[in-house]
Amino acid sequence: MNRSVLNVTYAVGFFALAAGLLVARANPATAYEPSLFTATPTAVWVGFGIALAIALVTALACRGRQQAIGIALGATTVTAIVSLPLIRNYRFAGMGDALTHLGWTRDIVSGNLQPHELFYPGLHSLASVLHFVAGIPIERALLLTVVVLFVPFLVFVPLVVRDISGNGLAVGVAAIVSWMVLPINNIATHMGVHTNSNALFLVPVVLFAFVAYLHRRSTVERLPLGLSPFSALLYLTGIALLLVHPQQMINVVVLVGTVAGVQYLARWRYSDHPMLDHPTAYTHTIVLGVIFAAWALTNERFQSALSGMATGMLSADISGGQTVDQRGASLTEIGGSLGELFVRMFLDAAVIGLLVALFVLVMWLGWTKVDRETSAFVTYFAIALFPLGGIFLLYFVGTPTMAFRQIGFIYVVLTILAGVAIAQAIGGLSRYFTMPGANTVAAVALGACLVLGLGTVYASPLIFSPNQHVTDQQYSGYETSFDHGVDDQPYAGLGYDPYRYDHGIYGLEREAPLTSAGTASGEVDPDEFEAGNYTGAYRGSDYYFAVTEYDVTREIEVYQELHHSEDALSDVSQQPGVNKVVSNEEFELYAVESTNATDGATV
């Protein structure tokens, strides 16, 4: 492409991106949004779409500096999409673990908790620094931290592939696949304040340091005690990953240990192989393992997690298969199916995974023209997937949620391998078409996968999971309720336990709970609630019943009254023994007298 035309094309792309950002910023969220995607103005998506289309084509067709500009355009656009809760002025995002992380950050800021007292203080410490340095609210600092930790994923995936293969097309493909954000599955990994998921985006940084070490040919550059600069970088990035979340550090140790094992076998089996020229990873496996053990094994939270997994593996009541069956039955009741959900959430990931698997198989059979050096690195990562997959199976039997977290890490590795695999496929297509023709086919296919990937980067009704948007009204509603509620009266939610808001508003480290939501909370019993027994729907005692716009959207619109009906909810305030005590546009709190308190009367 003519350089002048290319420059104009890039200008159009960056202008479209800037226009999208300006429109998004000019249209902040004013109420709860069930879907971030549909609530964001169409003009924003038009601008982002133009930018991504230009970035995708140039990442495939260009090389050198021009390709780098295209990759930068695409990475910036994807970062903008991930930043939409921040750009559109969300009060906060995340109603589960995210609120607990908000509470811990609040504790660090207030001095009630020291960072080293947390098992994974990286996210919270960085947010605290941003809060103090920039003077922004803690909630906003956490949302900004999510973006800061996400960016390395987009930067280092193509860098790792460049170091592995040196193929410009593979670098461009790897960049595009990274824009799909495949490690996020919205089952156990989420785009938001979720330390396990946030740690996934730092893994390519550690792998880049590791690949750089393996590529080192000279022994001249040494630090004191003979330590390689790349080894030091690997240890430092590993420690950073450990502080964000130790589970992903375990996976890195397994991957590095697998590479060490492959190197040992190669030295025993071959007399001439590229692996023999790579420095060994034996010491790095031991050092990284010791760093993890020193941090984790003495931690009570880690011990309880191990105990829970062991219990799950030995118990017939806990299994991934049962979880899948239950979800499938629920989806059928609301008119969906596991097949439909799979297509929406995992089709792009399945396609990428299948392409990588086929490529590795064909490469091992010797049917490709991959050079021996690249083949060695692909073999390292591919063989590492076997023990990583074994860990997934253990999790699936014991704690299914952890299994889907493991899939997140596996897809970090697959994202890297996909760059090499798809580049080889495009090269193969070029023998039947021209190279521009092969790039066109690849651009269409990758573009479709990119739309699927970015369309599920945040939860939405599309995947039967509404956006976890915390609005000012919801936050202030819970805050008012906790501040003025009776101390020993528990709180119950509509399919949601309010204790997370207690964490987010007041923190977790205090001498005694400030509200009863910190010690006594739960959900109303769906059967009793639907039967009209509102006064007896929660543990047979007086309680506060909290309901938000998020709850109503989830239960009525998304779950289609599977557990709670609109009629039952609308009847609550009309019943004896039920009084509305707090109300705003998106939050209502009812004081409910128990059946015993109303002389055994039921509704």
Side-chain angles (χ1 to χ4, degrees), residues 359 363 367-376 378 420 424:
F359 164 70
M363 187 193 74
W367 296 349
T368 68
K369 296 182 179 180
V370 179
D371 64 85
R372 298 184 73 199
E373 180 73 6
T374 301
S375 176
V378 170
V420 182
Q424 288 293 315

Side-chain angles (χ1 to χ4, degrees), residues 16-45:
L17 170 60
L21 286 169
L22 289 173
V23 173
R25 183 62 181 168
N27 291 272
T30 57
Y32 172 70
E33 299 178 345
S35 171
L36 175 66
F37 302 105
T38 58
T40 300
T42 303
V44 175
W45 299 117

Side-chain angles (χ1 to χ4, degrees), residues 43-96:
V44 175
W45 299 117
V46 171
F48 289 172
I50 293 172
L52 280 175
I54 292 172
L56 189 152
V57 171
T58 53
L60 292 176
C62 298
R63 297 293 179 269
R65 177 176 174 274
Q66 300 300 330
Q67 183 188 51
I69 295 173
I71 291 174
L73 174 60
T76 306
T77 305
V78 173
T79 302
I81 294 173
V82 168
S83 305
L84 280 175
L86 191 66
I87 294 168
R88 298 194 57 243
N89 205 31
Y90 276 25
R91 171 66 180 265
F92 194 61
M95 295 185 182

Side-chain angles (χ1 to χ4, degrees), residues 402-463:
M402 299 290 278
F404 282 95
R405 291 183 178 183
Q406 186 70 8
I407 289 177
F409 185 91
I410 288 172
Y411 264 94
V412 174
V413 179
L414 288 176
T415 298
I416 292 170
L417 291 177
V420 182
I422 298 174
Q424 288 293 315
I426 295 172
L429 279 177
S430 68
R431 293 199 294 268
Y432 303 96
F433 305 99
T434 62
M435 194 63 193
N439 281 340
T440 300
V441 173
V444 172
L446 289 172
C449 289
L450 183 58
V451 170
L452 284 173
L454 290 176
T456 55
V457 72
Y458 280 109
S460 72
L462 178 69
I463 57 173

Side-chain angles (χ1 to χ4, degrees), residues 282-303:
Y282 309 146
T283 302
H284 301 80
T285 304
I286 296 171
V287 172
L288 290 173
V290 169
I291 290 173
F292 169 79
W295 181 262
L297 293 182
T298 58
N299 186 278
E300 183 178 348
R301 188 179 181 89
F302 178 76
Q303 293 172 356

